[in-house]
Amino acid sequence: MIELPRAPAHVEPYIEALGFDLAVEFLLEFGGTAVYLPDRAGGRGEVERFLGAEKLKALKGQEHRMSARVPRPKRWLAMVLRAQGLSEARTARKVGVTDKTIRQWMRGPGGNASQLSLF
């Protein structure tokens, strides 16, 4: 089984409401934008067309835990996509960064993998 990175706290409401895979797709599609979650499903909104009425209702139930703008946790999304087997180039395109950035993120917080830590 694939070991996926732990989700940041601000992403957890989306995962609880939508499930892991749909939450990742939702964040890739709507991340960085403000979205309106209507009280009643009417079939007209872009978010409802993407999620469906049932998942929209579940997400609306988590609204008190979410910020006004959908987060775009690029580093976490990149780690998830790489863990799922996407190439560096495809991951970079989906997340909206360069392949070099993906390689740096995959090396971890230390940056240069060949540089020894002094502390």
Side-chain angles (χ1 to χ4, degrees):
M1 185 166 168
I2 302 169
E3 185 175 333
L4 297 169
R6 183 170 179 216
H10 63 294
V11 172
E12 288 179 5
Y14 297 91
I15 294 172
E16 288 176 20
L18 306 176
F20 190 86
D21 292 333
L22 185 56
V24 168
E25 291 302 317
F26 183 80
L27 294 171
L28 286 168
E29 182 72 23
F30 294 99
T33 63
V35 296
Y36 173 67
L37 303 175
D39 292 325
R40 291 188 312 243
R44 295 179 297 181
E46 189 176 1
V47 174
E48 185 179 351
R49 283 193 302 271
F50 186 84
L51 296 176
E54 188 176 313
K55 292 292 185 178
L56 175 65
K57 185 177 179 181
L59 191 59
K60 181 73 173 171
Q62 295 288 330
E63 192 173 34
H64 66 282
R65 297 177 56 202
M66 302 177 336
S67 64
R69 194 169 304 281
V70 177
R72 181 77 171 184
K74 290 182 178 187
R75 185 179 203 144
W76 178 78
L77 287 168
M79 294 169 81
V80 168
L81 295 174
R82 289 292 290 145
Q84 292 175 341
L86 265 65
S87 68
E88 285 179 358
R90 178 104 171 102
T91 299
R93 288 192 302 271
K94 286 191 90 153
V95 176
V97 297
T98 66
D99 57 332
K100 180 180 177 182
T101 298
I102 298 297
R103 282 190 296 277
Q104 289 173 340
W105 286 346
M106 293 302 113
R107 277 197 293 252
N112 189 349
S114 63
Q115 177 68 43
L116 295 175
S117 175
L118 298 176
F119 303 101

